[in-house]
Amino acid sequence: MRLTEKKIVEVLRQSGYKITPQRRAILEVITHSQEHLTPSAILEKVNYIHPGIGLVTVYRTLEVLSNLGLICRMHTAEGCHSYKGALQEHHHHLTCTECGRVVEFTNCDLGELEERLSAQTGFNIESHLLEFLGRCRDCQKAVA
Amino acid sequence: MRLTEKKIVEVLRQSGYKITPQRRAILEVITHSQEHLTPSAILEKVNYIHPGIGLVTVYRTLEVLSNLGLICRMHTAEGCHSYKGALQEHHHHLTCTECGRVVEFTNCDLGELEERLSAQTGFNIESHLLEFLGRCRDCQKAVA
DNA sequence: GACCTAAATGAAAAAGTTTTTCACCTACCA
DNA sequence: TGGTAGGTGAAAAACTTTTTCATTTAGGTC
Ligand SMILES: [Zn+2]
Ligand SMILES: [Zn+2]
Ligand SMILES: [Zn+2]
Ligand SMILES: [Zn+2]
């Protein structure tokens, strides 16, 4: 079940955040939309409800909601760029969130899941994005 | 095996691209680095080898290399922002590259792969990113 | 080696996104 | 009904990415 506006407001209040008309407008847009929206797209929709709201407020609200896990932040195919020499084979990355070290792995085994999803949704799946995040051995030691 | 600078140059030439000193410098940086690098980070390193090279050239070269599949473009944890109301459960997305429609799924089954990677690399894996891209039923029809 | 041309480059400007700053405002609690 | 911590908007700053255009150059041809 998707979180309702009411539930989100409740969590915000419990976490000590104020419920402003701006935040309500942003919540209304997000909870009523099926698609993923960029901050500017959210602003555009919010302005129908609450003209004059600033993009800054959208950014700030999204950050709060995101930190509380109340909205989900998605990685768009374009937009975040970091590059590395390519392996010839299909592969993915395991990245250390502490030091940035990257390990590659080639056996992603997503075929079965992909088939299941394809059958369930009717999508013709063309590619996938997979990435693991964690802490490498050294960085684990460093903390201990 | 990672692609060597020599091999990349060969493919570039075969594809009709010119081999300029700027491109060589960029290739040298990318093929000799273990980490993922942002365009600015690449420029910084390139400038040791070839001072005066422009950031624009870096962007242009990365695009060419990326289109030819000679480098790999990675999604960084920050930087690409699109938001949606959250499901309460852990979930991922299947997105239509044509119309943007998004389907959520909750059974990602990555536990086994995660354990294997963890054992192999010593990483303490904290989270993962998974996303499928394809064409939805409607968009498949539209083409046919 | 000199010449030609399509492709590549660099500088500058434009466009777009995200963050910072700061004076003013307001939700919410006592 | 204050008081105050937290929130807002406008403007500016900081970045990233794209576009434009005049100039240069790699690589093929003679
Ligand atoms: Zn590390
Ligand atoms: Zn894979
Ligand atoms: Zn579609
Ligand atoms: Zn998952």
Side-chain angles (χ1 to χ4, degrees):
Chain A
M1 247 321 274
R2 185 172 301 291
L3 288 170
T4 60
E5 192 176 333
K6 198 174 161 189
K7 175 67 184 167
I8 296 179
V9 166
E10 195 186 312
V11 175
L12 278 176
R13 233 188 269 278
Q14 279 168 8
S15 310
Y17 292 100
K18 292 181 181 173
I19 309 305
T20 63
Q22 291 89 337
R23 285 185 176 164
R24 281 198 182 277
I26 293 170
L27 286 179
E28 193 176 327
V29 165
I30 292 176
T31 55
H32 287 74
S33 168
Q34 290 306 309
E35 334 146 67
H36 277 258
L37 301 168
T38 60
S40 331
I42 291 171
L43 178 70
E44 197 182 333
K45 283 175 184 272
V46 161
N47 270 332
Y48 286 117
I49 309 172
H50 187 304
I53 193 174
L55 184 55
V56 208
T57 299
V58 174
Y59 272 101
R60 285 189 281 228
T61 302
L62 290 174
E63 175 151 28
V64 168
L65 294 173
S66 190
N67 289 341
L68 292 173
L70 297 172
I71 55 174
C72 96
R73 177 181 231 160
M74 187 171 160
H75 292 251
T76 52
E78 292 81 42
C80 38
H81 308 307
S82 165
Y83 300 84
K84 190 163 192 271
L87 283 185
Q88 308 205 33
E89 317 134 77
H90 172 86
H91 67 281
H92 300 285
H93 301 117
L94 165 53
T95 308
C96 177
T97 50
E98 198 69 19
C99 68
R101 185 171 310 180
V102 177
V103 174
E104 273 142 338
F105 61 94
T106 53
N107 42 355
C108 68
D109 289 351
L110 291 177
E112 200 183 317
L113 175 56
E114 195 169 306
E115 273 172 36
R116 196 168 65 223
L117 282 175
S118 204
Q120 277 170 13
T121 62
F123 268 63
N124 173 24
I125 297 181
E126 286 156 353
S127 66
H128 60 256
L129 204 76
L130 172 63
E131 215 180 299
F132 286 96
L133 299 168
R135 300 170 137 258
C136 71
R137 215 185 299 251
D138 292 351
C139 291
Q140 287 171 61
K141 276 186 205 147
V143 173
Chain B
M1 245 324 269
R2 185 172 301 291
L3 289 170
T4 59
E5 193 177 331
K6 198 174 162 191
K7 174 69 184 165
I8 296 179
V9 166
E10 195 185 314
V11 175
L12 277 177
R13 231 189 270 276
Q14 279 168 7
S15 310
Y17 292 99
K18 292 181 180 173
I19 308 306
T20 63
Q22 291 90 336
R23 288 187 172 160
R24 281 198 182 277
I26 293 170
L27 286 179
E28 192 175 330
V29 164
I30 291 177
T31 55
H32 286 75
S33 168
Q34 289 306 309
E35 333 146 69
H36 275 259
L37 300 168
T38 60
S40 332
I42 291 171
L43 178 68
E44 198 183 331
K45 283 175 184 271
V46 161
N47 270 332
Y48 285 117
I49 309 172
H50 186 302
I53 193 174
L55 184 53
V56 209
T57 299
V58 173
Y59 274 99
R60 285 190 280 228
T61 302
L62 290 174
E63 174 150 28
V64 167
L65 295 173
S66 191
N67 289 341
L68 293 174
L70 297 171
I71 57 176
C72 96
R73 177 181 230 159
M74 188 170 158
H75 292 250
T76 52
E78 292 82 41
C80 38
H81 309 306
S82 163
Y83 300 84
K84 189 160 191 273
L87 282 188
Q88 308 205 32
E89 319 133 76
H90 172 85
H91 67 280
H92 300 284
H93 301 117
L94 165 53
T95 308
C96 176
T97 50
E98 198 70 17
C99 67
R101 184 170 309 180
V102 177
V103 173
E104 274 143 337
F105 61 95
T106 54
N107 42 355
C108 69
D109 290 351
L110 291 176
E112 199 184 316
L113 175 56
E114 194 169 308
E115 273 172 37
R116 194 168 67 224
L117 281 175
S118 204
Q120 278 170 14
T121 62
F123 269 62
N124 173 23
I125 297 181
E126 286 155 353
S127 65
H128 59 257
L129 202 77
L130 173 63
E131 213 180 303
F132 286 95
L133 299 169
R135 299 168 138 259
C136 71
R137 215 185 299 251
D138 291 351
C139 290
Q140 287 172 60
K141 274 185 207 149
V143 173

